[in-house]
Amino acid sequence: MDVDRWWEKIFDSGRTLSYRSGQPMLLKGSQKGSVLRVVEGWALVTDPHLDGTRTFLELRGRGQLLGETSALSGGPRNADVTAVCRTVVRAVGSERFLAELRRNDVLVGMLLHAQELHRTTNVRAGLRRFGVVSGLSGLLLDLTRTVGAPVVVGIPQKVLACVLGVTPRTLYDAVAELERRGALSARWPVVHITDETVLRELAHSDE
């Protein structure tokens, strides 16, 4: 049984919830409640500050979980989660989620592995160690791995700019460069990956 089927077995009996673009899904400081699994769309995870600014943490998409950290710790939510576009999730209560984890060590291992992947993605996207084009290339590879197809749908340019910590104009120039190199074709909010090999090469280059 693959990873998706393990989680589907838990979440199929949960409630289906739909969020519109820009709608809050989880709020930092709120008490633990349901754990969500993304069925369709994208969720932006940020850490809000008292001065009104936000620190980007993650983008989560199809098959990924939201609210699992609070369920595991028993504490309040540690971040805001907002729908990037129309986003559909399945929700189960935290107690049901924890009960299933206690019954299956495989699920615990998969959850820890998923959290490590999230942290790796955050470092690659947020720090942009090798420049904007390389950072964007790595981010797009992560996003297509999430959806399981060479296309990313529903993420506005301004959100990708936020993820990379650059201005929309800088992102526009990076996308244009990737199009020039034949790596992708962008018709926002749809990005088709046309040459994954080029993206992989650029993701590890210094441009």
Side-chain angles (χ1 to χ4, degrees):
M1 186 179 289
D2 61 23
V3 174
D4 279 344
R5 290 187 63 192
W6 277 111
W7 291 125
E8 285 170 5
K9 186 176 180 180
I10 296 174
F11 285 89
D12 272 355
S13 60
R15 295 176 296 144
T16 299
L17 305 173
S18 179
Y19 298 87
R20 64 182 183 278
S21 175
Q23 183 176 0
M25 301 171 68
L26 301 174
L27 294 176
K28 182 177 180 178
S30 60
Q31 294 304 307
K32 68 174 183 177
S34 297
V35 177
L36 315 180
R37 183 172 188 262
V38 181
V39 175
E40 173 187 337
W42 297 94
L44 178 66
V45 185
T46 59
D47 184 12
H49 306 298
L50 293 177
D51 63 1
T53 61
R54 291 178 176 274
T55 299
F56 162 75
L57 298 177
E58 300 172 26
L59 269 175
R60 294 196 182 182
R62 187 194 66 80
Q64 295 179 324
L65 306 183
L66 301 164
E68 80 285 1
T69 300
S70 178
L72 290 170
S73 69
R77 309 291 193 188
N78 62 2
D80 282 359
V81 180
T82 306
V84 171
C85 52
R86 179 180 179 274
T87 301
V88 179
V89 302
R90 300 299 292 272
V92 299
S94 58
E95 294 306 320
R96 160 83 191 282
F97 178 76
L98 292 174
E100 292 291 345
L101 288 183
R102 295 187 191 103
R103 282 196 286 265
N104 196 322
D105 290 340
V106 174
L107 288 177
V108 175
M110 290 192 303
L111 181 59
L112 293 175
H113 177 65
Q115 290 181 325
E116 180 59 32
L117 286 178
H118 295 324
R119 283 190 288 271
T120 302
T121 299
N122 180 32
V123 169
R124 181 156 53 245
L127 296 183
R128 296 182 291 109
R129 293 179 178 179
F130 301 108
V132 181
V133 171
S134 294
L136 178 58
S137 298
L139 176 60
L140 290 173
L141 289 170
D142 286 322
L143 296 177
T144 55
R145 186 181 304 115
T146 296
V147 298
V151 60
V152 178
V153 179
I155 304 179
Q157 295 181 69
K158 64 180 181 180
V159 172
L160 287 181
C162 168
V163 170
L164 291 167
V166 300
T167 65
R169 178 65 198 185
T170 299
L171 176 71
Y172 176 88
D173 291 342
V175 171
E177 176 65 15
L178 290 176
E179 287 187 306
R180 186 186 68 79
R181 297 192 187 204
L184 58 80
S185 173
R187 297 295 181 269
W188 299 99
V190 180
V191 178
H192 286 276
I193 305 306
T194 52
D195 195 329
E196 186 176 303
T197 300
V198 173
L199 281 187
R200 291 190 180 281
E201 291 173 353
L202 289 171
H204 301 288
S205 77
D206 58 5
E207 303 175 30

